[in-house]
Amino acid sequence: MERSSSITKKNDGDDADRNLSEQLVGNEEKEESVEKIFESREVPPWQKQLTFRAFIVSFVLAVLFTFIVMKLNLTTGIIPSLNVSAGLLGFFFVKTWTKFLEKSGLLKQPFTRQENTVIQTCVVAASGIAFSGGFGSYLFGMSEVVAKQSTEANDALDIKNPSLTWMIGFLFVVSFLGLFSVLPLRKIMIIDFKLIYPSGTATAHLINSFHTPQGAKLAKKQVRALGKFFSFSFLWGFFQWFFTAGDDCGFVNFPTFGLKAYENKFYFDFSATYVGVGMICPYIINISLLVGAILSWGIMWPLIGQRKGDWYSAEYPSSSLHGLQGYKVFIAIAMILGDGIYNFFKVLGRTLFGLYQQLRNGNVLPVGSESSPSPPAISYDDQRRTQLFLKDRIPMWLAIVGYVIIAIVSAATLPHIFAPLKWYYIVVIYIFAPTLAFCNAYGCGLTDWSLASTYGKLAIFVIGAWAGAGHGGVLAGLAACGVMMNIVSTASDLTQDFKTGYMTLASPRSMFVSQVIGTAMGCVISPCVFWLFYKAFNDLGIPGSQYSAPYALVYRNMAILGVEGFSALPKHCLTLCYIFFAAAVVINGIRDAVGPKWAKFIPLPMAMAIPFYLGGYFTIDMCVGSLILFIWEKLDKVKADAFGPAVASGLICGDGIWTLPSSVLALAGVKPPICMKFLSRKANARVDTFLDGWQSLSSDQTWASANFAISKLLMVVTWHYDEKTSGALWCGSR
């Protein structure tokens, strides 16, 4: 799902999809014609591809994946591609449904790969709103909880607390515009330019394989593996819940490498989610995260911390952006911006060069000439796919009228939701949006790299500076970020889905309708899921909490920088920001200069930046996932390639869906019975002394009663171990 500078669906985390798609594309050249395998099967008309059962399954899976994406959004912001899981589970549910109906003699329409593609498109569109909706970034960055963590721009004009009604309304008026902006260009992108869209191609190959006899057998085994690890992950999350009765309690705070390392965020937190994410993300992503964690929390922050009282006042609390926290946040922002700007110009350059070559060679047909003869196809597959892709045309007037109407409604509505966001700011965004949406969709087709978050950050700085300080510039910038991100993100998603539909013979009309319905689902499901988190967890957005929403603070501080400049930064922070900004650009340049063979050994700056603010705990989890996959590949590469994504998806889905019952328990006031904490031996001795003091008073009847009550409350058990940290485990029930 991008989606952003946080290694998400169509950014660096999508290297996994890119690698898979490259293998599949390469294999296609060696294999027999795919469409000849399906030649005897009738392609249903576009209306019959949109079935009631497909949208029922899509809704269920959309809720599941929205919980997963929301949890990832609010913890680290790293969101792997869930396309494989969506396609696999969609196939499994409908196949089970149709088999049951077939046995009972009630089956009227068989399950086709076109219907499978509709489900895939709808689920990804719906769950994608959990990212592009900004619940872990710009939208939550507007809240008072995040604003209090900054001393600047925290007045009423720059704050907008979450509310279910305005969040749903906001998403409905901004999420559909991108769909209409690239609709007229689908033929140019898919047929004339023959853009690859690696993730869309990989998904199409996956769906095609499911509907062959051999593929169906493998899919059944993959679903079984996914179900096993889903159950394990869910039960493991349930088991861990019993030990989290207080702050810093439970397995998630296990000081794996000692208490000193724990203080510097180096520990394994037993998260099945991030072990699964590590299995999906490429090795270079996980190694880059680990390098970034060691560089920041292992070297830089301890050294800067020693300058307390010199570089920054010792009176500032640890959460103040004028203290050490400022270095963590703004240096991370500098690396993210450096990486984003480099890749923006790289992809833009490749886009313009590609367009120049297409125009020079005369391969571009007029946008509206869908009935004009297409270039001669080089294979039977291309002939068949092109014929059906051009069969169900979507009128040009629909795209233009739809865009204009939504733009007018949006420009009239958004200023009522965000007072500082004037209507003429929105009009300017919508004038440039189609061009930027096209660039993003074209670049995604070339590189599989969506720059939606980069365009969003551009809007933050431009609109925030235009509105200015004292006029709600921070809130205006964040809202503008949301408008821009939703447009360019949905545009690249739709063209990616058109590519998948092209290769599975799904009609462009069914793809568009499925995307619209999925987006509408997401506009309701995502705010409701976020609202559940918001109401269930009182410490949501607080640094160090279970759901700290780190990118909310990052995005808000970008908006503050755009409005107020660099005056708020602590001493030498700006110099360090310049250094790391330049380093991000240089490292990316070196990676491109040395070529793919050596680039895989050079860390990615974007990935390195994430633990600068968060710490290294989740990187340990992800590296464990990488290690598991690496050993598995060495032992049996064929099984690892076939079942690795399914096992990883099971780990992610099980732990992710556990957040639903845990949220319900929190809302109902049900608290875990046990608190498991880890103390140093010295601290543990003080606890023992305290308890011994109560025991000495037990001769008095009153104190005996008190002692009995305290012992019932605490039930302290300690285990001493003589390692470097000389720590002790402290368990207490409530």
Side-chain angles (χ1 to χ4, degrees):
M1 311 177 192
E2 173 181 296
R3 293 221 218 304
S4 110
S5 43
S6 44
I7 321 289
T8 52
K9 174 186 168 192
K10 295 189 182 72
N11 205 324
D12 298 334
D14 221 25
D15 284 352
D17 274 349
R18 194 175 306 126
N19 294 339
L20 174 62
S21 62
E22 286 168 358
Q23 294 170 11
L24 290 168
V25 172
N27 289 341
E28 188 185 46
E29 296 173 1
K30 305 173 187 176
E31 295 171 356
E32 296 180 2
S33 167
V34 172
E35 296 309 327
K36 283 188 178 178
I37 297 174
F38 295 99
E39 194 173 17
S40 61
R41 303 186 191 181
E42 183 184 357
V43 178
W46 71 272
Q47 297 94 332
K48 290 191 175 181
Q49 296 173 21
L50 302 166
T51 62
F52 178 74
R53 69 191 179 201
F55 290 115
I56 291 292
V57 169
S58 297
F59 179 80
V60 173
L61 292 179
V63 173
L64 168 65
F65 285 121
T66 298
F67 268 98
I68 294 167
V69 173
M70 195 67 70
K71 178 180 179 178
L72 296 172
N73 251 336
L74 297 173
T75 49
T76 64
I78 300 176
I79 306 169
S81 173
L82 297 172
N83 286 15
V84 173
S85 307
L88 187 62
L89 289 173
F91 173 81
F92 169 72
F93 281 127
V94 180
K95 198 69 175 176
T96 304
W97 186 332
T98 54
K99 273 193 175 182
F100 173 77
L101 291 178
E102 189 175 12
K103 287 179 180 178
S104 58
L106 299 174
L107 182 63
K108 295 181 180 179
Q109 182 178 339
F111 182 41
T112 63
R113 55 188 175 134
Q114 291 79 27
E115 188 179 356
N116 204 159
T117 307
V118 165
I119 295 171
Q120 155 79 22
T121 299
C122 190
V123 172
V124 172
S127 59
I129 299 294
F131 170 78
S132 60
F135 300 100
S137 55
Y138 65 84
L139 189 143
F140 191 46
M142 303 173 183
S143 67
E144 187 176 4
V145 172
V146 178
K148 284 180 178 177
Q149 297 170 39
S150 303
T151 54
E152 294 80 19
N154 53 7
D155 57 356
L157 266 179
D158 287 310
I159 292 174
K160 182 81 174 177
N161 282 315
S163 166
L164 202 55
T165 51
W166 75 254
M167 287 191 297
I168 292 175
F170 168 71
L171 290 176
F172 265 105
V173 296
V174 301
S175 296
F176 294 92
L177 209 66
L179 303 181
F180 291 94
S181 65
V182 294
L183 195 56
L185 304 173
R186 65 196 177 282
K187 179 177 177 290
I188 287 180
M189 298 287 205
I190 305 301
I191 296 175
D192 298 335
F193 286 176
K194 292 182 171 58
L195 296 177
I196 296 173
Y197 288 100
S199 290
T201 300
T203 304
H205 281 293
L206 186 74
I207 291 172
N208 284 335
S209 71
F210 286 162
H211 292 267
T212 61
Q214 298 83 358
K217 289 179 183 177
L218 178 60
K220 188 176 180 180
K221 293 178 181 178
Q222 288 173 327
V223 169
R224 191 179 296 121
L226 189 151
K228 287 179 182 177
F229 284 89
F230 177 95
S231 302
F232 165 77
S233 180
F234 182 88
L235 293 173
W236 174 241
F238 179 49
F239 174 74
Q240 288 188 88
W241 175 80
F242 283 96
F243 300 91
T244 56
D247 294 335
D248 302 324
C249 295
F251 287 93
V252 293
N253 294 287
F254 193 98
T256 323
F257 308 112
L259 292 173
K260 190 65 178 176
Y262 173 79
E263 289 175 8
N264 287 285
K265 304 287 186 179
F266 284 98
Y267 56 93
F268 178 62
D269 72 349
F270 295 89
S271 169
T273 295
Y274 285 104
V275 171
V277 171
M279 292 179 69
I280 291 177
C281 287
Y283 295 130
I284 187 59
I285 295 290
N286 300 327
I287 296 300
S288 300
L289 289 166
L290 185 60
V291 169
I294 293 171
L295 177 63
S296 55
W297 289 86
I299 300 173
M300 290 177 58
W301 306 154
L303 290 176
I304 294 176
Q306 292 175 5
R307 299 288 182 176
K308 188 175 184 178
D310 179 15
W311 284 19
Y312 58 94
S313 173
E315 297 178 359
Y316 290 129
S318 59
S319 60
S320 173
L321 290 173
H322 292 287
L324 183 58
Q325 185 81 338
Y327 296 93
K328 297 176 184 177
V329 172
F330 290 110
I331 293 175
I333 289 174
M335 289 193 74
I336 290 169
L337 290 177
D339 187 283
I341 289 173
Y342 177 89
N343 284 295
F344 170 76
F345 284 107
K346 182 179 81 172
V347 174
L348 181 63
R350 291 186 62 177
T351 300
L352 295 176
F353 182 70
L355 284 171
Y356 167 73
Q357 287 186 316
Q358 296 283 352
L359 291 167
R360 187 184 64 178
N361 296 333
N363 290 337
V364 181
L365 300 178
V367 172
S369 63
E370 300 200 37
S371 58
S372 58
S374 60
I378 59 172
S379 68
Y380 175 80
D381 285 359
D382 284 339
Q383 289 177 358
R384 179 85 169 132
R385 290 165 179 171
T386 301
Q387 177 190 5
L388 289 174
F389 190 78
L390 296 179
K391 179 183 175 184
D392 292 325
R393 291 183 292 172
I394 302 175
M396 169 84 68
W397 65 264
L398 178 66
I400 296 173
V401 171
Y403 188 89
V404 171
I405 290 176
I406 295 174
I408 292 172
V409 171
S410 181
T413 305
L414 287 176
H416 293 284
I417 300 175
F418 308 105
L421 188 66
K422 306 301 182 185
W423 66 269
Y424 43 88
Y425 300 164
I426 303 166
V427 171
V428 170
I429 291 173
Y430 287 165
I431 289 172
F432 290 99
T435 304
L436 299 179
F438 168 75
C439 290
N440 193 49
Y442 188 93
C444 188
L446 288 174
T447 65
D448 214 28
W449 204 289
S450 175
L451 297 174
S453 63
T454 304
Y455 290 112
K457 291 168 193 145
L458 179 65
I460 286 179
F461 289 112
V462 172
I463 301 300
W466 189 0
H471 299 89
V474 171
L475 185 60
L478 291 171
C481 172
V483 174
M484 183 64 76
M485 271 185 68
N486 276 280
I487 293 172
V488 297
S489 179
T490 53
S492 62
D493 284 351
L494 181 60
T495 49
Q496 190 99 251
D497 291 332
F498 277 143
K499 180 67 174 183
T500 304
Y502 170 79
M503 296 187 68
T504 58
L505 302 189
S507 168
R509 291 186 181 182
S510 65
M511 289 290 91
F512 181 70
V513 173
S514 178
Q515 184 86 17
V516 169
I517 292 174
T519 302
M521 285 183 185
C523 290
V524 176
I525 294 171
S526 290
C528 291
V529 171
F530 173 76
W531 194 248
L532 184 62
F533 276 86
Y534 186 67
K535 289 297 183 182
F537 303 102
N538 295 327
D539 57 355
L540 185 72
I542 304 297
S545 66
Q546 182 182 4
Y547 300 107
S548 58
Y551 274 91
L553 183 61
V554 168
Y555 272 70
R556 186 172 185 87
N557 280 290
M558 285 183 187
I560 292 172
L561 282 178
V563 173
E564 299 191 357
F566 301 107
S567 59
L569 299 181
K571 190 176 181 182
H572 301 302
C573 186
L574 183 58
T575 303
L576 290 170
C577 287
Y578 286 145
I579 292 170
F580 279 89
F581 179 93
V585 174
V586 170
I587 292 171
N588 272 303
I590 293 172
R591 283 177 52 84
D592 288 335
V594 299
K597 181 179 178 181
W598 297 105
K600 61 185 179 182
F601 298 108
I602 301 174
L604 290 156
M606 184 72 76
M608 291 173 62
I610 296 172
F612 271 52
Y613 173 57
L614 288 174
Y617 63 94
F618 70 95
T619 69
I620 306 297
D621 300 340
M622 292 178 68
C623 286
V624 168
S626 277
L627 182 62
I628 292 170
L629 186 63
F630 178 79
I631 295 172
W632 193 359
E633 286 177 341
K634 290 297 180 184
L635 296 175
D636 190 340
K637 182 167 176 57
V638 174
K639 275 197 173 181
D641 290 342
F643 295 99
V647 169
S649 299
L651 291 172
I652 294 169
C653 294
D655 195 32
I657 205 64
W658 163 247
T659 57
L660 175 58
S662 68
S663 301
V664 172
L665 289 171
L667 285 171
V670 179
K671 295 186 177 181
I674 302 169
C675 174
M676 182 174 71
K677 282 192 176 182
F678 301 88
L679 309 174
S680 68
R681 186 161 57 185
K682 188 175 180 181
N684 184 71
R686 290 201 296 269
V687 172
D688 285 344
T689 303
F690 174 78
L691 293 172
D692 289 341
W694 282 106
Q695 289 285 352
S696 65
L697 295 171
S698 62
S699 56
D700 184 278
Q701 186 63 39
T702 304
W703 290 114
S705 301
N707 178 64
F708 176 77
I710 292 170
S711 64
K712 288 290 288 181
L713 284 169
L714 295 178
M715 293 176 60
V716 176
V717 181
T718 59
W719 291 269
H720 296 275
Y721 56 93
D722 294 320
E723 294 182 356
K724 289 183 180 178
T725 54
S726 300
L729 171 67
W730 183 91
C731 300
S733 73
R734 297 181 63 139

